[in-house]
Amino acid sequence: MCGIVGYIGDKDAYPILIEGLIALEYRGYDSAGIALVNESALTVFKDKGKVDHLRTQMETQTKLGTLGISHTRWATHGAPSYKNAHPHTNGNDSLAVVHNGIIENFEILREKLKKEGITFKSETDSEVIAHLVGKYLTNGNLGAAVRRALQDIEGTFGIGVISRDNPDVLIGARRGSPLVVGIGEKEFFLASDASAIVRHTKKVIYLNDNNLIELARGGYRTTTLDNRKISHKIHNLEFDADSLAKGGYDHFMLKEIMEQTNTIKNAMRGRVLCDEGTARLDGLNLVLQELRQINRIIFVACGTSWHAALVGEYMLEELAGISVEVEYASEFRYRNPIIDPHTLVFVISQSGETADTLAAMREAQRKGATVLGICNVVGSSIARDTHGGVYLHAGPEIGVASTKAFTSQLTVISLLTLLLGRMRRLSHDDGVTIAGALEAVPRQVAKIFKQNDEIKTIAHIYAPHNNFLYLGRSYNFPVALEGALKLKEISYIHAEGYPAAEMKHGPIALIDKDMPSVVIALRDSVYDKVISNIQEVRARGGKIIAIATEKDKEIQKHAHHVIYVPKTIPMLSPLLSVIPLQLLAYHIAAIRGCEIDQPRNLAKSVTVE
Ligand code: M6R
């Protein structure tokens, strides 16, 4: 979390930095700050809260300089406050640092620096970097001082450093937190993510762990932290600034929900082979032989991506006959997972930068596993450090609540099921049926959107409630988890997702007239069982909102409200049943006046463990 933007060039740095910070606000919005060097003076501006507060403060400033760094914070060490806002400076305020990550040995370093006479101005771990660089800046070489300072540091960092005594250089370095460098005409940009700089350049290089870059006005030099010279490939960004705008919607989340007719299409474009009843996933070509030999898959992910993996478990076990385990990334590395030569590990991540998922990926690689990625952000750490993988092609997802990435992940996992299934026991006919059903999904999603007004009406009825239960079985149990997560993260309503039958083993005690249940009750093999679960809720006075298969009139006898989804094959039903749950959560949060795109305490990309 936290977003960093830096600039060096011949333009005014301030507008570039503030605009970049706004694009990165999804990474944190506890405080924001900017440091600028102008005519050998270093000036720092910061404020608590969102970037807009900082912008207001800056309105009267002039002559701000052509070199600067900036930061939007998601607090880890130290409360969200003015003094803890970045940039942090050294003792004589001659240099400034912005940091994303966690310095694990900061207390030891802090005590040591205090004994050397340094006074700390904040409670953050990051401030030690500024003091260390100041301490080692003895011969005027800022790059060398940063390199030396980072030798003392344990933990993760993406940093930007500038100094009033080095007005022609901007330093960036990373270990464990992402940093991308934009290459323009006589100017360079540094950012946590390319969305902050795409307005200015499409040419970027992605720094790897333990890389340091010295951006000067006439060129740049990249080295490892132990000062070996390295070179990087220049990539071309594949998205443009328009995809970062709300496009007429009130919130990014709603825009991203509505984009799903296209994003699902994009995830399958060129990948479905209808006649052969299979799929092609070019990113897996290098491991095709291995794919034939595996008998076990471990999916590792967090949050919504973990829910997509759970759906994948149902798909791959049923249709490809491969045993699947789904692991929370944050737990995976603290166990001693058994990985044999017939096990393949897939890490799933929208951002490709989630620290827990990255750590799990590295643990699996250490154990000799072939690790493949399913991610959205091109050039992200997971995309670059896996043995191969599949991109979602969903475009930037800005709303903190993940929506279109989830359905794109489900689409990609369906394709994977088709590919692996056809290598094994899935017949040609069944493959053709799945491929045909997949191609119909975008049209079916568009049909669900037509009920948006009805969903809004239901949202008005239930928005005052403070507790919800979400129930589903089989393929739709993970959807119940996802629906509950959507509601809680953006509306702050307590919501629990449960396998419908498991509800009677505990949560049923919570049910009363004030705790509505959202039940996914599709016309599939578990329909009758789910109806029985609905009756159990109703018998305790609970209200039911059912997600049902279109034309199912029977369900109206059991539920207080019904939202219909078109019929598809069971394995693809989560792609449809999740849509009303996303819309319901969105409308309830909007009615409650919540900050939908930037809910409290959350950040889009969780880059700390
Ligand atoms: O970028 P990732 O897919 O790795 O992110 C994982 C979770 O942090 C993410 O899905 C989170 O749970 C979302 N806020 C859910 O909407």
Side-chain angles (χ1 to χ4, degrees), residues 33-148:
I34 287 187
L36 295 153
V37 169
N38 185 24
E39 292 169 2
S40 298
L42 176 88
T43 327
V44 175
F45 307 89
K46 43 188 175 177
D47 212 339
K48 194 177 162 211
K50 295 195 170 191
V51 176
D52 249 351
H53 296 193
L54 176 70
R55 184 156 52 179
T56 312
Q57 182 195 132
M58 300 288 289
E59 266 161 14
T60 51
Q61 304 294 334
T62 53
K63 292 203 86 187
L64 294 163
T66 56
L67 168 65
I69 51 175
S70 60
H71 188 270
T72 179
R73 178 168 188 246
W74 186 84
T76 57
H77 295 64
S81 63
Y82 177 86
K83 74 172 175 187
N84 290 332
H86 296 220
H88 292 291
T89 55
N90 62 335
N92 65 3
D93 297 327
S94 62
L95 65 88
V97 173
V98 285
H99 169 227
N100 167 207
I102 290 187
I103 309 301
E104 283 163 9
N105 60 340
F106 91 99
E107 287 189 65
I108 300 169
L109 293 171
R110 196 178 162 103
E111 286 318 304
K112 205 165 150 221
L113 288 163
K114 273 188 186 166
K115 281 191 191 129
E116 291 169 15
I118 284 172
T119 307
F120 278 79
K121 294 165 268 194
S122 77
E123 297 150 351
T124 66
D125 54 337
S126 312
E127 192 184 340
V128 296
I129 308 175
H131 294 298
L132 285 172
V133 177
K135 172 176 156 180
Y136 294 122
L137 187 55
T138 49
N139 63 359
N141 184 336
L142 187 61
V146 173
R147 202 175 282 115
R148 176 64 193 85

Side-chain angles (χ1 to χ4, degrees), residues 302-560:
C302 303
T304 288
S305 300
W306 188 84
H307 296 155
L310 270 188
V311 178
E313 180 178 19
Y314 285 86
M315 288 186 193
L316 282 153
E317 291 197 343
E318 184 188 348
L319 296 147
I322 298 177
S323 141
V324 177
E325 284 157 44
V326 180
E327 301 276 356
Y328 281 117
S330 52
E331 290 299 316
F332 180 77
R333 60 186 299 222
Y334 295 106
R335 294 186 17 235
N336 195 5
I338 295 157
I339 297 169
D340 64 24
H342 299 291
T343 302
L344 202 60
V345 175
F346 269 94
V347 289
I348 309 182
S349 171
Q350 186 284 130
S351 62
E353 299 294 350
T354 299
D356 288 322
T357 312
L358 275 168
M361 174 186 85
R362 303 223 153 95
E363 180 61 22
Q365 287 169 335
R366 237 186 317 271
K367 290 196 151 56
T370 298
V371 182
L372 301 168
I374 297 178
C375 47
N376 190 34
V377 177
V378 177
S380 58
S381 299
I382 289 177
R384 284 179 299 128
D385 293 351
T386 39
H387 295 100
V390 190
Y391 277 123
L392 304 181
H393 297 308
E397 189 180 68
I398 315 263
V400 164
S402 186
T403 51
K404 63 177 179 174
F406 179 70
T407 47
S408 297
Q409 287 163 342
L410 294 183
T411 307
V412 165
I413 298 170
S414 310
L415 296 170
L416 182 68
T417 305
L418 204 48
L419 178 71
L420 295 179
R422 292 285 287 120
M423 285 176 176
R424 291 171 170 72
R425 62 185 193 183
L426 198 66
S427 69
H428 173 262
D429 283 1
D430 286 347
V432 169
T433 305
I434 295 171
L438 246 177
E439 293 218 307
V441 167
R443 282 193 308 278
Q444 295 180 313
V445 169
K447 223 168 157 192
I448 301 171
F449 290 153
K450 292 191 182 142
Q451 290 169 90
N452 191 24
D453 286 345
E454 280 104 298
I455 297 172
K456 202 167 171 180
T457 306
I458 297 172
H460 271 285
I461 299 169
Y462 290 95
H465 292 262
N466 288 321
N467 296 289
F468 275 71
L469 202 56
Y470 281 71
L471 303 173
R473 289 179 91 136
S474 178
Y475 281 104
N476 285 291
F477 153 54
V479 178
L481 296 181
E482 176 61 8
L485 177 62
K486 288 296 84 97
L487 186 69
K488 72 183 121 187
E489 70 182 329
I490 59 167
S491 69
Y492 318 139
I493 291 173
H494 167 240
E496 286 195 49
Y498 257 88
E502 191 62 21
M503 177 253 322
K504 60 185 173 296
H505 298 284
I508 198 164
L510 298 170
I511 289 171
D512 62 14
K513 64 177 185 11
D514 296 321
M515 185 170 194
S517 295
V518 180
V519 187
I520 305 149
L522 303 181
R523 279 282 182 183
D524 56 18
S525 60
V526 291
Y527 180 74
D528 292 337
K529 304 260 183 227
V530 175
I531 295 294
S532 305
N533 300 137
I534 289 179
Q535 291 310 336
E536 288 152 13
V537 173
R538 290 202 64 155
R540 275 120 194 126
K543 294 273 189 313
I544 302 286
I545 304 162
I547 311 301
T549 307
E550 66 183 1
K551 300 201 177 103
D552 179 7
K553 295 272 180 286
E554 163 85 15
I555 191 78
Q556 293 174 358
K557 289 191 237 147
H558 305 285
H560 298 89

Side-chain angles (χ1 to χ4, degrees), residues 163-180:
S163 154
R164 83 174 171 214
D165 302 324
N166 302 67
D168 296 319
V169 65
L170 161 62
I171 308 288
R174 72 159 274 184
R175 182 193 295 151
S177 303
L179 266 191
V180 57

Side-chain angles (χ1 to χ4, degrees), residues 278-291:
T278 187
R280 60 179 274 190
L281 295 168
D282 291 343
L284 304 185
N285 281 350
L286 283 179
V287 293
L288 268 190
Q289 201 45 38
E290 242 173 290
L291 292 183

